[in-house]
Amino acid sequence: MTLLAVERIKLFSTRSPWWCMLAALAVTCGFTALITGTSGDDYPVSVQTTQFASNFGLMVILVMAALAVTTEYRFGTIRATFQAVPNRTAVLLAKTGVVALLAGVVGEVVAFASWGIGKVMRPSADLALNSAADWRHVAGVGLVFAVGAVLAVAVGTLVRHTAGAVTLLLVWALLVETLLSALPTVGEKIQPWLPFNAASNFMLMGGTPPPGASVVSQPYGPWGALAYFTGVAAAGLVITIVVANRRDA
């Protein structure tokens, strides 16, 4: 518990988490308002529509999670931490847990705020959470944010440089996966196994996707998609812990 408290204090003692949380909320809710406000009869507002912009918030959360560890490497505080607590595995697990919990809470706030915006702007639309799929579309955003934060911490610890870690995460999520999915012949086969695509499908599968969103045929259901995304993040964290225990701080 002491180690968790230390990691919480270190995280909130810098400005970047606060700015990232505000940015995630502003960007997601702003795009949700824009999408909802410009929707017409051809694309009626649905529960899924209110969550389409959550991917933008996820990108901000990835940056926040990466900064949580790369900032320590930048200023050398990670060395003091490892000296005070020689068990590096415990340190990294505590840091990951704190960041993932914060990301999950932000995800839930962002998701229900976006849903609320849809209810206010389109009171006549059917936005009731009547099914398990509806609840997954909204409440599932927090789970994706939390798992994404685990993956971002792992990448940040491996790379140790803010620019490199943030670039790798954003380029992979926003560009590389799109390019790989567009490859002739093999694109459709590998698309279901791209981690951020799996995360997106967890939030969107089961219903009519919002305009511009694509849900490809998956060899697994929505919860299988989340399990796969979680498995990738967990594998990255295990590799990170092994590497961190073998190299100098």
Side-chain angles (χ1 to χ4, degrees):
M1 293 299 293
T2 302
L3 196 53
L4 290 172
V6 169
E7 292 301 330
R8 174 182 56 81
I9 293 171
K10 287 196 297 184
L11 178 64
F12 287 106
S13 63
T14 60
R15 295 180 181 179
S16 57
W18 299 101
W19 284 112
C20 287
M21 286 188 288
L22 289 174
L25 181 63
V27 170
T28 305
C29 292
F31 274 102
T32 299
L34 180 62
I35 294 170
T36 304
T38 57
S39 62
D41 295 334
D42 294 336
Y43 297 105
V45 177
S46 65
V47 173
Q48 287 168 300
T49 304
T50 64
Q51 303 306 312
F52 180 55
S54 60
N55 281 326
F56 297 105
L58 176 60
M59 297 303 108
V60 179
I61 292 302
L62 293 179
V63 174
M64 182 194 75
L67 284 171
V69 62
T70 58
T71 301
E72 285 211 62
Y73 278 104
R74 178 185 177 188
F75 293 103
T77 56
I78 194 71
R79 298 187 183 91
T81 300
F82 286 157
Q83 288 175 352
V85 184
N87 188 346
R88 297 186 179 185
T89 299
V91 172
L92 292 176
L93 288 178
K95 182 181 295 294
T96 303
V98 169
V99 175
L101 179 60
L102 176 61
V105 171
V106 173
E108 295 301 324
V109 172
V110 164
F112 281 96
S114 298
W115 176 72
I117 288 174
K119 292 277 287 184
V120 171
M121 296 186 66
R122 286 287 188 266
S124 60
D126 182 14
L127 297 179
L129 304 179
N130 294 321
S131 66
D134 291 334
W135 278 101
R136 172 169 49 81
H137 296 324
V138 180
V141 173
L143 296 176
V144 172
F145 276 33
V147 176
V150 173
L151 182 58
V153 169
V155 172
T157 307
L158 285 173
V159 178
R160 299 197 288 188
H161 297 285
T162 300
V166 170
T167 300
L168 179 60
L169 287 165
L170 297 186
V171 168
W172 177 271
L174 298 175
L175 180 62
V176 174
E177 289 200 358
T178 301
L179 294 178
L180 290 176
S181 301
L183 290 175
T185 309
V186 298
E188 294 183 358
K189 296 180 180 179
I190 64 177
Q191 187 176 9
W193 305 106
L194 301 174
F196 288 100
N197 178 74
S200 178
N201 279 291
F202 165 71
M203 293 185 290
L204 296 178
M205 288 173 74
T208 304
S214 61
V215 179
V216 300
S217 177
Q218 301 283 5
Y220 42 67
W223 290 102
L226 179 64
Y228 174 71
F229 186 46
T230 303
V232 172
L237 182 60
V238 170
I239 293 172
T240 294
I241 291 174
V242 171
V243 172
N245 278 293
R246 290 184 176 182
R247 72 185 180 188
D248 295 334

